[in-house]
Amino acid sequence: MSLIDHTLCLHLAPQALYGVQRRAGRPVADSAFHVPILNPGASWEGALAGLRDWLEQHHEKKLPLAVSLASRWCAMLMVPWSGALLDADSAQRFLHSQFGAVYGDGARAWRLAADGAPYGQPRLACGIDAALLQGIQEAAGAHGRRCLSIEPIVGPAWRSIAGGKPAAFALVEEGRLLLATTGGGRITALHSQSCDTAWGDELERAWRRWNLRAPQLDAIEQVALLDLSGVPQVALSARFQSMPAASPAHLMRETAWA
């Protein structure tokens, strides 16, 4: 589903709100902004308060919003194919059983969604706290804005580089890194974990550990790298090929998650 003609793309991170306007699919010149958020615990509640504060101060153009969220607030799973996914109600029950098996009872409070993989194939699924989603929607509505989409940052990150058809990519954010393999225009497997500010060595170690569980990774020689951490590394393994990224909000183009 494409974004409408003129949209304000926002990315909500633990310590900052990023934004840029897009018109006809392209960033509007001089529209990008970055607002620090005082949020020592890196909680989504603190970040949501920062978003509310920004919306209260900016009433000039009530453009509809497309929002991406930091990976730390988005639980991701590859779920096996099931006929239950063909019906909305049974799909939710199936997804809750899958997430509950991995994340425990806390998953009951999450809103779950899966991508539209072809029939019979595993699907990428995401769980986000329902209170966070409701808070964003209510904050937008309170200021006369439509919220077109809310999705994990991994979606925009992948779509921004999908044209190059990388076999795998890495996404690094503040305190978090994600590795994914791709095929047929989709994410086919992923690994996510925490990391510190010196994430360069940890990225290579994470790939090697994942490789022990998934030997097919041996065939992948290069991994596209999107660094959104704000802490560039002096030296990286030659395996990881850096891709340009102006800001997390600039990655928003279209959405596959409604």
Side-chain angles (χ1 to χ4, degrees), residues 141-247:
H143 297 283
R145 295 179 184 265
R146 279 198 298 152
C147 197
L148 300 175
S149 62
I150 305 171
E151 63 176 319
I153 186 60
V154 65
W158 163 233
R159 293 193 297 274
S160 73
I161 60 174
K165 297 182 179 180
F169 72 94
L171 173 66
V172 183
E173 304 163 72
E174 179 187 351
R176 201 80 195 163
L177 66 83
L178 181 144
L179 299 168
T181 59
T182 68
R186 299 179 54 251
I187 293 174
T188 55
L190 55 80
H191 165 81
S192 180
Q193 66 175 68
S194 60
C195 66
D196 59 24
T197 53
W199 52 264
D201 291 339
E202 181 55 34
L203 185 60
E204 175 66 20
R205 290 195 297 269
W207 180 267
R208 290 177 179 174
R209 287 195 298 270
W210 195 25
N211 198 174
L212 293 175
R213 305 193 306 273
Q216 66 272 22
L217 299 183
D218 280 337
I220 299 176
E221 297 181 353
Q222 292 191 339
V223 179
L225 170 63
L226 282 166
D227 174 17
L228 305 179
S229 71
V231 188
Q233 304 298 288
V234 174
L236 287 171
S237 164
R239 181 194 318 275
F240 299 100
Q241 303 295 307
S242 294
M243 308 293 289
S247 82

Side-chain angles (χ1 to χ4, degrees), residues 81-91 119 123:
W81 168 255
S82 169
L85 293 168
L86 298 176
D87 174 78
D89 291 336
S90 62
Y119 184 93
R123 295 192 172 187

Side-chain angles (χ1 to χ4, degrees), residues 45-128:
E45 291 90 347
L48 178 57
L51 172 62
R52 290 194 183 106
D53 289 344
W54 187 87
L55 289 170
E56 288 174 0
Q57 297 170 28
H58 293 81
H59 304 285
E60 57 277 9
K61 285 185 179 181
K62 296 187 183 297
L63 297 175
L65 306 179
V67 182
S68 65
L69 299 174
S71 294
R72 68 169 59 223
W73 304 318
C74 305
M76 309 292 293
L77 278 182
M78 294 301 303
V79 299
W81 168 255
S82 169
L85 293 168
L86 298 176
D87 174 78
D89 291 336
S90 62
Q92 281 296 298
R93 290 193 294 271
F94 174 72
L95 291 174
H96 271 105
S97 71
Q98 295 291 310
F99 276 80
V102 175
Y103 295 101
D105 290 342
R108 294 178 181 176
W110 299 346
R111 188 81 57 79
L112 306 177
D115 70 356
Y119 184 93
Q121 295 189 17
R123 295 192 172 187
L124 177 64
C126 176
I128 301 173

